[in-house]
Amino acid sequence: MNAFGVLSAVVRRDLLVALRRKSEVLTSLFFFVIVASLFPLGIGSEMDLLRKIAPGVLWVAALLAAMLSLNRLFANDHADGTLEQMALSPVPLGLLVSGKILAHWLVAGLPLVLIAPLLGLQYDLSPRALLVLVISLLLGTPLLSLIGAIGAALTLGVRGGGVLVSLLTLPLYIPALIFGAGAVEADISGLGAAGHLSLLAALLTLAVFFAPWATTAALKIALE
Amino acid sequence: MLTATDLACVRGDRRLFSGLGFTLEPGAWIYLTGENGSGKTSLLRILVGLSPAEAGEIRWQGSAIGRLGDEYRKAVTYLGHHNALKEELTARENLCTGAAMAGINLDAGRADALLGSVGLAGREELPARFLSQGQKRRVALARLLWSESPLWILDEPFVALDVAAVAWLAATLAGHLAAGGMAILTSHQEVLIEGSTMQTLRLAA
């Protein structure tokens, strides 16, 4: 079986598990929808203010929502022994881990990207700004999954790992937040979002190469 | 051939064993015994390469296992305390994805045949959470049937199995050893594998 076959088998497995455990999948999506909807309700209908806070609020909400499901990324596989089998497989662990991260993004990241324009309407964002928001999230949410995977692997099997993973990953999320929210802000103020989006894409490229490697190293330590 | 020399293991500030060594030849198996907490599982995890040994060396076909990497992982099939099954997936899906993650392509028809031979015919579509402990163990043991590894390292493989399944596993092990395979297993019950060379390795607590 070639590398692509293994990767797709891992992704398919994790998606299948997520599909049969719907409540866990929907939690992060509903969290995102509710948090993003609370702000317009709380602040009222001051369009100028809403437009101004929209990029930051939507991005912070997406960031927290993506983090909610991080604990489960490896914890279940660790508990039932699957992670041991992955580590002992002749297939490189990095490949299997990449598959798991990809599946995590498809379950916890992609739905946020798809629902974001709808939530953006509540903040009176222009169609153009909504498009930039979607592109920034499309580049940013995989980055969140990749960085989060390192944190999840490092806190695997640690008591109180849930809080620890937030403390560990939230600071690392800051660049993604700055460039992601910055892209939308720049577009609204007419500066053009290309610069911010390029930097976000560069960060994503960097993470695609290094995050699975760092995650693999952390998992091997956790399994010892 | 698997050779271990002078292995030592420390957990916390307790020395579980030291100066442990053995040689395992093709067609032979090691029966690892010892009281609870004597370090059987720790030894097995060191032998498969999951944990590092405090001291000593393990060689597979003459080379240190750390240097062999993937080549050694291909040669070993390990079955730990956990069954490595996903509760949400059916027995068939568990078997197929388990094989895929080891880089082996197992189609649904072959998986059903293997499940049939471990006595789970008709249960292929049942999610693993509806299976009993013994049935889950059988699904986990079905991994031995697609495994192409010469060395099987099994941690308490007989736990939760009924009489028929114990006999099936003993016969499977006998077949594996007769074909030149090797096995190391722990068990708290007597294990009889016909026509094989057995070494007993006893860990003192």
Side-chain angles (χ1 to χ4, degrees), chain A residues 1 6 9-10 13 16-17 20-21 76-77 79-82 84-92 96 223-224, chain B residues 45 48 50-52 70 73-74 78-79 82-86 88-90 93 97 100-105 143:
Chain A
M1 195 180 248
V6 175
V10 175
R13 183 193 83 123
L16 213 55
V17 170
R20 293 184 189 163
R21 215 189 270 174
N76 289 334
D77 281 346
D80 66 22
T82 314
E84 272 176 11
Q85 292 296 345
M86 286 181 165
L88 292 173
S89 158
V91 176
L96 301 172
L223 281 173
E224 268 180 15
Chain B
R45 289 176 65 90
V48 294
L50 274 175
S51 324
D70 289 352
R73 284 194 280 275
K74 208 173 229 160
Y78 171 69
L79 193 73
H82 300 296
N83 291 324
L85 301 181
K86 280 266 157 275
E88 292 80 9
L89 300 185
T90 65
E93 287 162 349
T97 51
M101 284 193 290
I104 287 170
N105 199 357
R143 139 185 304 271

Side-chain angles (χ1 to χ4, degrees), chain B residues 101-145:
Chain B
M101 284 193 290
I104 287 170
N105 199 357
L106 194 70
D107 59 48
R110 175 102 198 283
D112 287 358
L114 297 186
L115 286 171
S117 58
V118 294
L120 289 173
R123 305 247 162 43
E124 299 92 349
E125 306 261 2
L126 213 57
R129 69 168 173 280
F130 295 127
L131 296 175
S132 75
Q133 278 305 323
Q135 288 175 323
K136 282 181 193 167
R137 201 65 180 157
R138 288 176 185 221
V139 179
L141 285 165
R143 139 185 304 271
L144 298 175
L145 298 176

Side-chain angles (χ1 to χ4, degrees), chain A residues 2 7 41 47 62-63 68 108 119 124 163 173 176 195 217:
Chain A
N2 59 12
L7 191 75
L41 292 174
M47 291 302 183
L63 195 138
L68 270 187
L119 298 174
D124 193 33
V163 186
Y173 278 173

